[in-house]
Amino acid sequence: MIWRRAVTLEALNAMGAGNMVEHVGIRFVRLDDNALEATMPVDGRTQQPFGLLHGGASVVLAETLGSVAGYLCTEGEQKVVGVEVNANHLRSVREGLVRGVCRALHTGRRHQVWQIDIYDDRQRLCCTSRLTTSVI
């Protein structure tokens, strides 16, 4: 297991109250030994003007997952901040839920690299993203 902090899904979801996470409807749904997953609705909050999932909303889901996962790999007063994020949008989504799956590529003392894959309701890969964080 890579996590250094004990946490529940309920506690993770409570962290999103009153911020961007709540605004776009992100919900943490799974935490196992090596991965963190969350869902986000594709609706008026997350669609671009043409009715498709906004690429920026996908990045919000990716950065949320990577930042929270990064925090779970720290101890004490340590925190993480994102220093670089990229995303390749592979398939459009018009409705339903998307699911992000976050896994560590590197969890060092000063930097972390996270791979976040986002899938549609039919389990098709829609976006793949990488987030680099700095431990402070």
Side-chain angles (χ1 to χ4, degrees):
M1 177 157 62
I2 63 172
W3 317 120
R4 294 183 179 178
R5 296 182 188 269
V7 69
T8 64
L9 288 175
E10 294 76 21
L12 291 178
N13 285 312
M15 288 172 44
N19 57 54
M20 174 72 84
V21 175
E22 179 180 56
H23 178 71
V24 298
I26 294 172
R27 298 286 304 161
F28 292 96
V29 296
R30 185 168 172 253
L31 176 68
D32 68 19
D33 287 350
N34 298 304
L36 177 62
E37 296 185 20
T39 60
M40 182 178 68
V42 180
D43 60 20
R45 296 170 292 175
T46 58
Q47 292 167 323
Q48 39 96 311
F50 304 106
L52 302 174
L53 176 61
H54 195 293
S58 295
V59 173
V60 168
L61 176 58
E63 187 151 357
T64 298
L65 276 162
S67 294
V68 170
Y71 174 71
L72 295 177
C73 286
T74 63
E75 299 176 299
E77 296 299 312
Q78 290 179 315
K79 307 229 180 337
V80 298
V81 294
V83 294
E84 193 273 337
V85 64
N86 69 54
N88 295 98
H89 306 288
L90 308 172
R91 178 182 302 274
S92 62
V93 182
R94 291 191 172 274
E95 61 188 6
L97 281 179
V98 290
R99 176 179 58 92
V101 180
C102 178
R103 291 187 172 83
L105 297 178
H106 172 72
T107 55
R109 288 185 303 132
R110 298 192 190 286
H111 291 93
Q112 305 165 340
V113 181
W114 298 94
Q115 177 72 37
I116 304 97
D117 292 322
I118 300 174
Y119 300 90
D120 67 9
D121 282 342
R122 294 170 52 189
Q123 308 314 311
R124 297 177 300 182
L125 183 63
C126 301
C127 177
T128 186
S129 182
R130 189 179 331 204
L131 174 70
T132 302
T133 59
S134 181
V135 179
I136 56 173

